[in-house]
């Protein structure tokens, strides 16, 4: 039986909710923040790891960066390539598993945004991804990793919620497992009178745990922030953003 993150039907069904128009509209400001956070020079080589339909890849390419987007979902890559062709922006989109993808010393910056890291059941696979990233960075390269930190989740945790978009209802039920080591999410999509249910699970990390994992994976230094704008990671943090350097 496939793991949830290897199920193309899941990604295709839930994609419209994960890539809503307001999220496309937010991409330019998010890229502004990333460029300032890591002081990204023009024409830098950027890897967007877990690029999805290319929200950030396309925005970076519009600004002249040399962008490679990697994802495992064929439907997402198809959409990303269509958009790139339509806009005539050069982006290389590749189908690959982040546990296997390595391009030694090829990138100035690697991005892993919107909690696209930590899905794998075996914690060793998460570390494999980070080792791959470290190997793929040029000397002095930087890795920007954005997810929901354990401290933030503890403050905002809701056992269940729901939202509606264009007549589609999306329900979530959350359970903490493994002594606050993992989050299990029951996702239910109701559309046209029928329901689709998936169990989505992933590891969750505190800032200290993430720093330890990054440094043990080949990174020399890690700075931690509360958002992409570089706010402190304190009791007001909205997310956990780590900037790791080789």
């Amino acid at each position: 039986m496939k793991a949830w993150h290897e199920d193309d039907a899941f990604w295709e069904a839930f994609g419209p909710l994960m890539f809503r128009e307001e999220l496309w509209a937010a991409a330019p400001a998010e890229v502004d923040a990333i460029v300032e956070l890591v002081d990204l020079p023009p024409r830098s080589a950027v890897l967007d790891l877990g690029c999805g339909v290319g929200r950030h890849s396309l925005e970076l390419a519009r600004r002249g960066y040399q962008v490679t987007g990697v994802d495992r979902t064929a439907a997402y890559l198809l959409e990303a390539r269509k958009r790139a062709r339509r806009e005539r922006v050069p982006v290389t989109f590749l189908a690959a598993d982040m546990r296997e993808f390595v391009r030694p010393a090829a990138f100035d910056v690697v991005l892993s945004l919107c909690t696209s890291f930590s899905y794998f059941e075996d914690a060793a696979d998460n570390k494999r991804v980070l080792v791959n990233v470290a190997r793929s960075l040029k000397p002095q390269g930087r890795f920007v990793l954005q997810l929901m930190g354990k401290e933030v989740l503890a403050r905002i945790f809701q056992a269940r919620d729901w939202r509606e978009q264009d007549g589609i209802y999306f329900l979530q039920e959350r359970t903490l497992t493994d002594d606050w080591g993992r989050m299990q999410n029951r996702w239910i999509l109701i559309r046209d009178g029928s329901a689709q249910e998936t169990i989505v699970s992933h590891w969750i990390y505190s800032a200290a745990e993430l720093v330890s994992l990054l440094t043990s994976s080949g990174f020399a230094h890690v700075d931690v922030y509360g958002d992409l704008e570089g706010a402190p990671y304190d009791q007001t943090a909205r997310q956990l953003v780590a900037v790791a350097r080789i």
Side-chain angles (χ1 to χ4, degrees), residues 28-208:
E30 291 166 349
V31 169
D32 284 344
I34 292 165
V35 168
E36 184 171 347
L37 185 67
V38 300
D39 191 21
L40 189 61
R43 301 292 300 165
S44 294
V46 181
L47 170 62
D48 187 2
L49 191 61
C51 65
V53 294
R55 284 198 309 128
H56 300 99
S57 295
L58 292 165
E59 181 61 28
L60 286 158
R62 292 181 194 113
R63 302 178 188 210
Y65 294 104
Q66 302 173 57
V67 184
T68 301
V70 169
D71 205 279
R72 65 154 309 281
T73 303
Y76 289 179
L77 293 171
L78 180 62
E79 175 64 21
R81 291 176 182 129
K82 284 181 179 177
R83 287 176 180 260
R85 284 195 299 270
R86 187 164 61 239
E87 295 188 31
R88 298 183 180 180
V89 291
V91 186
T92 300
F93 287 110
L94 300 174
D97 187 321
M98 65 176 67
R99 290 170 290 187
E100 307 296 335
F101 182 83
V102 179
R103 288 238 177 127
F107 302 104
D108 298 291
V109 168
V110 176
L111 306 177
S112 177
L113 305 176
C114 305
T115 313
S116 54
F117 170 75
S118 78
Y119 296 163
F120 305 114
E121 187 75 20
D122 187 346
D125 282 339
N126 292 331
K127 186 165 183 176
R128 282 176 64 190
V129 174
L130 299 182
V131 170
N132 290 344
V133 170
R135 289 181 58 200
S136 296
L137 283 167
K138 297 177 183 180
Q140 308 304 314
R142 289 142 295 170
F143 177 37
V144 180
L145 177 56
Q146 178 196 40
L147 42 74
M148 291 300 293
K150 192 176 291 186
E151 299 90 345
V152 178
L153 286 169
R155 189 182 77 239
I156 68 172
F157 181 81
Q158 289 182 282
R160 57 186 60 84
D161 62 25
W162 68 276
R163 69 173 184 264
E164 183 269 338
Q165 176 186 316
D166 301 326
I168 301 172
Y169 294 87
F170 176 43
L171 295 78
Q172 293 190 73
E173 187 175 68
R174 306 175 183 86
T175 306
L176 295 161
T177 64
D178 298 274
D179 301 320
W180 264 90
R182 290 175 63 82
M183 177 89 81
Q184 181 166 290
N185 305 273
R186 181 182 176 215
W187 286 16
I188 303 172
L189 192 70
I190 301 173
R191 175 168 43 196
D192 299 328
S194 63
Q196 179 176 345
E197 180 176 333
T198 304
I199 299 298
V200 174
S201 61
H202 60 89
W203 295 86
I204 52 176
Y205 298 97
S206 69

